[in-house]
Structure formats: C-alpha cells, structure tokens
Amino acid sequence: EEQAISFGSFAIAANDAQSSIVISKNGGTPVYSYKIYPLMHGQPGQYRLSAYPAFTPLVININDFVLQRTGAPNLLIEDFTHDPIITDGSGEALLDLGASLKTTGLGGSYGDGNYTGTMNITISW
C-alpha cells in the first residue's frame, strides 16, 4: 500500500436519501452529492503490485464492502475504478484506485468517529 484510499472527513446532514462521495482514480477533486459536505478531501488509493510475471495483464477484482461504527448505519463502498494493469519488465505495477462511498438513505444518524471495514483485492493473471 503506497497510499490508502480515503474519503476524507465530511459531515452527513441527513440520511433520508442516498448521498455519495466519488473519489476519482486519477486524483481529481472528489464529487459530493445531496447531504454530504466535505471538511477535508479524500484521495485515491495507490497500491504497488509485485512478484508477478513480466509484461503480464492483471485482472483486478474488488468486491463492494461496508464501513461500520457501533450504533450508526453502515457506509457502502462500491463502484471501484482503475485503469487496465500490465506489469513492467520487473513484474511490478501500480494500481491507482477510485471508488464511491454511499450512505444507506434509510434514516438513522451517522455519528462522529471512525468507521472501519476491510477491502479485499483479488488479482489474477
């Protein structure tokens, strides 16, 4: 992990409809919708892949997952984006990763604090 994907710090004014943050794989300004207001912008993830065959296309699969905090609705992480990946002559590649964070839109309050979850990246070639 060169740089973890981050959605930054933000406030959620209401959870009466689904709101989202979209982080671009290219590092552009995040896009915020409906009731999410940025406090500090996030950043795309950057992951160094190594020990693969040289000049080989890699197939990247990342399942949607949730971020959780006790007593609060989940935050959904989905819609992962990245460019096609081909290793270099040393069998390495850099994966620039974007994604979307979405509220449930089903009511309930998101409290202050850290939300945690696990992202699994599956790579085949």
Side-chain angles (χ1 to χ4, degrees), residues 1-7 23-27 42-48 80-82 94-99 119 121:
E1 182 179 80
E2 301 280 326
Q3 172 177 287
I5 191 168
S6 170
F7 293 93
I23 301 292
S24 166
K25 67 183 184 275
N26 299 323
Q43 63 193 16
Q46 203 169 58
Y47 304 90
R48 181 155 312 277
F80 293 95
T81 58
H82 61 82
L94 193 61
L95 171 65
D96 294 319
L97 186 65
M119 178 174 66
I121 302 174

Side-chain angles (χ1 to χ4, degrees), residues 31-91:
V31 176
Y32 301 86
S33 76
Y34 193 55
K35 297 287 184 167
I36 295 184
Y37 301 98
L39 303 173
M40 185 172 66
H41 290 309
Q43 63 193 16
Q46 203 169 58
Y47 304 90
R48 181 155 312 277
L49 311 175
S50 60
Y52 293 97
F55 305 111
T56 301
L58 302 179
V59 178
I60 310 294
N61 184 36
I62 306 168
N63 293 326
D64 299 345
F65 67 98
V66 297
L67 296 177
Q68 300 174 318
R69 182 172 180 271
T70 302
N74 291 337
L75 292 167
L76 313 171
I77 309 298
E78 55 191 28
D79 303 327
F80 293 95
T81 58
H82 61 82
D83 291 327
I85 303 291
I86 299 176
T87 60
D88 62 16
S90 301

